[in-house]
Amino acid sequence: MDRVEALDAHLRSMSTERVARLVATLPDSAIDLHCWSAVLERIAILAYRPTVVEQLNLAQQQLLYAIATVAEDQNGLRRPPPTLDSGAGTAELGPVSLDAVLERVGARSPGRARQRAEAELDRLVDLAILWPDGREGFHLADDFAAQFGSERTPPDLRTVAEGLDAADLHRMAKALGLDDPADRHVLTADIAALLTDETRVGLLLEEAPAGTARFAHFHALHSMVVRAPAPGHRHVDWLTERGLMVPVGDHGVMVPREVALVLRARYPAPFSPEPPVLVGPVSDRESDRGPERGAAAGERAVAARSQEALVALLDADDHLVAALSVWPLVLGTDGVQDHPALREELTAAGTHPDVIRVWVEAGGITGLLSARGGEVGLSAQASTWAGLPPESRIAALLGAWTQIPDTALWWPSPEEPLPKKRAAGVRRALALALGDAPEGMSLGAVSENPQYRRVLGWEPHGAQRWLVDTVQWHQPFVGADTDATDRVLRALHEAERLGLVAYGTPTMLGRALSAWCRGGGEEQVADAAWAALLGRDGVGEPRPEEEGGAVMQGPAECRERALAMEIHALLGT
């Protein structure tokens, strides 16, 4: 089955709602629901769906890079020519077999690593980044090579060797322990034969300085050029002397094609199937966050603090709804600006600024707030919101909190102005990390001003370091920012204000929200919110059933619903 036919079959096997969610990842300008073939064409191009790639965890990203190396190796690490129907300059990769992918990441044998790899591959198939080829393998997106493939095509070893002068060629042969025949062509063939033999290359690298084999494998995986290496670079010098790296251009070296194929086949590609594991005792700083100095917070103390935060959140919700019906917010170029009377009202009520900012951002996602004529005020769904039980409002706000991008849409952070670039979603990654924390373990939340921490040169330690690393596992793009630690800890401070964390410990509600982010039902979050409002440390008996009625519809839900109706009409399902 060819790529387009396989993608067509894959999408038609899904429900209309699932297809609508995939189509919703496309920008409006790229959606054409008048023709099904146009939908298939857009879904198959990842550049149209950057938000999908941004939500992938580290294991999923590593699998995609490993898949790219498998597909490249099938082509002999030579970039295939563009096809007529793939667009100018676009080279298609694949398909690849499941066994080859598992072999590449060292997960072919039965065990936990294989289970996790197969589960993450299933998720990538659900997102239509990959799709089944009908033969225990996967087709790849049209621009897979551009998104996850090598930076450039490495040079052929034989071609490079033939271009060397006689002195350099003989020095390379001597370093490799080869006999030095008089015939240059014979010597070149002997060098190429040695460096394309996996066993001999393995023996060669066993003699290399510490870390050199890892250095060579990393650059072979990504076909990366080492730009202008400084003289005396121990890895580069050792590798270039033996032809395991060769010059490219005037100011760089890289692993040649034949050697890269050997290294890729010999060593498994990086694969971290699960988040980091938190081990070791709680530090003094983390223990101090209990209700009594020197004692870790118990379950009842955590439940009481969570209850206190949720009651404050509901009070803030009541005050903000009442205040915005009188004083709408002004939507400016630098975010939302509040009315002086509104600020005075909220200050008098004791509403924390972080809660206000989160509530405003979440209100835009839930559909409670809307922008009209340069103002942000209550939408037509305000009456629906008022009729929801408290636990349902909390569940809606928390779900929206995980969807708030790290760049504020309406309400900039007090520490810095509204960023001009898109940033990864730290809050969802933090919610996922809360479910990875061991039961009863304090994460040592730090709530001081991040600028103050930066001046002191503070760095996370212990469980705090684990938290930052785990957030980055769930959202690798976080690690690309220099202020990643500040943003993670600031999101953790927000989580404390929302009852998700207390004394640095994930609460029952925090773990329920984490389960929801992993695909659990929203009812579980509402059940946990109801129990937390009662001060319980477990859900226990079920909450009273809600009477059927209207539900909130945010902009994203409304868009998906409209797309589902159009797709239903298009496919006749």
Side-chain angles (χ1 to χ4, degrees):
M1 191 182 302
D2 70 23
R3 297 173 66 262
V4 177
E5 290 177 352
L7 179 58
D8 180 36
H10 180 50
L11 295 186
R12 288 180 184 273
S13 70
M14 299 180 180
S15 66
T16 302
E17 291 72 21
R18 282 184 61 195
V19 176
R21 282 195 291 272
L22 286 177
V23 174
T25 61
L26 298 168
D28 289 334
S29 59
I31 298 177
D32 179 6
L33 293 178
H34 295 93
C35 176
W36 179 241
S37 61
V39 174
L40 295 177
E41 178 184 344
R42 296 295 190 272
I43 290 292
I45 300 176
L46 296 178
Y48 282 120
R49 301 192 289 150
T51 56
V52 173
V53 177
E54 288 172 3
Q55 292 183 10
L56 300 179
N57 62 36
L58 179 60
Q60 292 163 350
Q61 289 193 18
Q62 288 174 329
L63 282 169
L64 292 174
Y65 283 110
I67 287 170
T69 66
V70 171
E72 289 173 343
D73 291 0
Q74 291 174 172
N75 298 327
L77 202 47
R78 295 185 176 95
R79 189 172 293 274
T83 58
L84 294 177
D85 59 348
S86 64
T90 301
E92 293 181 359
L93 292 178
V96 297
S97 71
L98 172 61
D99 285 345
V101 174
L102 296 176
E103 181 73 30
R104 181 54 50 95
V105 297
R108 191 167 184 179
S109 301
R112 181 64 178 169
R114 178 171 183 137
Q115 292 175 356
R116 293 293 306 140
E118 290 178 339
E120 299 296 6
L121 287 169
D122 287 343
R123 177 59 179 153
L124 294 172
V125 169
D126 287 342
L127 295 172
I129 296 176
L130 318 170
W131 52 92
D133 67 351
R135 297 184 298 273
E136 295 295 319
F138 308 101
H139 284 296
L140 313 180
D142 287 1
D143 56 344
F144 200 90
Q147 298 289 340
F148 301 103
S150 299
E151 288 187 358
R152 60 182 293 172
T153 302
D156 288 339
L157 174 63
R158 184 181 291 272
T159 303
V160 174
E162 290 175 349
L164 295 176
D165 59 40
D168 288 338
L169 192 63
H170 288 294
R171 274 196 296 269
M172 184 183 296
K174 183 178 180 180
L176 291 172
L178 294 173
D179 293 333
D180 196 352
D183 191 309
R184 175 189 180 90
H185 297 294
V186 173
L187 183 57
T188 300
D190 289 345
I191 291 173
L194 188 155
L195 296 182
T196 53
D197 185 311
E198 182 176 337
T199 301
R200 296 171 77 181
V201 170
L203 293 172
L204 191 62
L205 289 173
E206 287 179 4
E207 303 172 0
T212 298
R214 183 188 299 272
F215 178 87
H217 180 234
F218 174 82
H219 287 82
L221 273 178
H222 303 288
S223 295
M224 296 176 64
V225 176
V226 182
R227 302 287 181 185
H233 190 298
R234 61 171 183 160
H235 299 320
V236 171
D237 288 352
W238 193 91
L239 293 167
T240 52
E241 284 175 1
R242 291 156 179 81
L244 295 168
M245 275 190 143
V246 295
V248 288
D250 295 330
H251 304 288
V253 295
M254 69 184 302
V255 179
R257 183 181 63 83
E258 297 89 341
V259 176
L261 288 170
V262 170
L263 294 177
R264 288 179 172 198
R266 181 174 179 81
Y267 300 102
F271 181 53
S272 305
E274 296 181 283
V277 176
L278 177 59
V279 295
V282 180
S283 70
D284 293 339
R285 177 62 181 273
E286 293 151 2
S287 296
D288 287 347
R289 295 191 61 77
E292 299 178 4
R293 183 173 179 80
E299 290 184 358
R300 289 193 176 183
V302 169
R305 177 61 66 85
S306 179
Q307 179 188 37
E308 179 184 334
L310 293 179
V311 169
L313 178 61
L314 289 174
D315 286 345
D317 177 61
D318 291 337
H319 283 110
L320 283 160
V321 168
L324 285 181
S325 63
V326 180
W327 302 291
L329 301 168
V330 177
L331 183 58
T333 56
D334 293 327
V336 166
Q337 316 217 343
D338 55 358
H339 192 283
L342 173 63
R343 184 182 308 172
E344 184 178 344
E345 174 78 13
L346 296 175
T347 302
T351 307
H352 195 277
D354 278 349
V355 175
I356 298 173
R357 185 176 62 256
V358 168
W359 186 91
V360 171
E361 293 283 350
I365 294 173
T366 61
L368 174 60
L369 302 182
S370 62
R372 298 182 302 275
E375 293 183 342
V376 176
L378 299 176
S379 71
Q381 299 186 74
S383 58
T384 301
W385 181 261
L388 294 177
E391 65 272 14
S392 295
R393 280 185 283 154
I394 290 173
L397 287 171
L398 296 182
W401 177 74
T402 65
Q403 300 172 52
I404 299 174
D406 203 45
T407 51
L409 298 177
W410 287 349
W411 196 286
S413 164
E415 275 78 28
E416 55 186 286
L418 188 68
K420 301 302 181 185
K421 64 182 180 66
R422 183 181 182 84
V426 176
R427 294 173 177 89
R428 177 178 176 274
L430 175 65
L432 288 166
L434 295 181
D436 296 323
E439 292 281 352
M441 174 68 79
S442 170
L443 302 178
V446 176
S447 301
E448 293 91 353
N449 185 296
Q451 292 180 345
Y452 178 68
R453 292 199 307 270
R454 197 178 297 117
V455 169
L456 294 181
W458 179 88
E459 289 292 335
H461 60 279
Q464 297 166 358
R465 179 72 265 169
W466 170 87
L467 178 65
V468 175
D469 291 343
T470 302
V471 167
Q472 292 183 12
W473 185 91
H474 286 289
Q475 176 49 274
F477 287 106
V478 173
D481 296 317
T482 56
D483 60 345
T485 298
D486 286 346
R487 288 169 40 209
V488 170
L489 295 179
R490 177 159 187 80
L492 184 60
H493 175 56
E494 289 180 357
E496 288 182 314
R497 294 286 175 183
L498 298 175
L500 303 172
V501 176
Y503 300 113
T505 303
T507 65
M508 167 189 60
L509 181 57
R511 293 185 183 279
L513 183 65
S514 183
W516 176 77
C517 289
R518 299 169 197 268
E522 189 172 345
E523 287 300 308
Q524 295 176 345
V525 182
D527 289 342
W530 180 74
L533 282 169
L534 297 177
R536 297 174 179 172
D537 53 18
V539 174
E541 62 185 67
R543 65 189 175 97
E545 294 186 7
E546 299 178 24
E547 297 182 3
V551 296
M552 298 295 292
Q553 290 281 329
E557 290 85 359
C558 291
R559 183 170 181 260
E560 284 186 16
R561 186 175 179 181
L563 288 172
M565 294 175 65
E566 293 190 59
I567 292 169
H568 176 79
L570 179 64
L571 298 180
T573 55

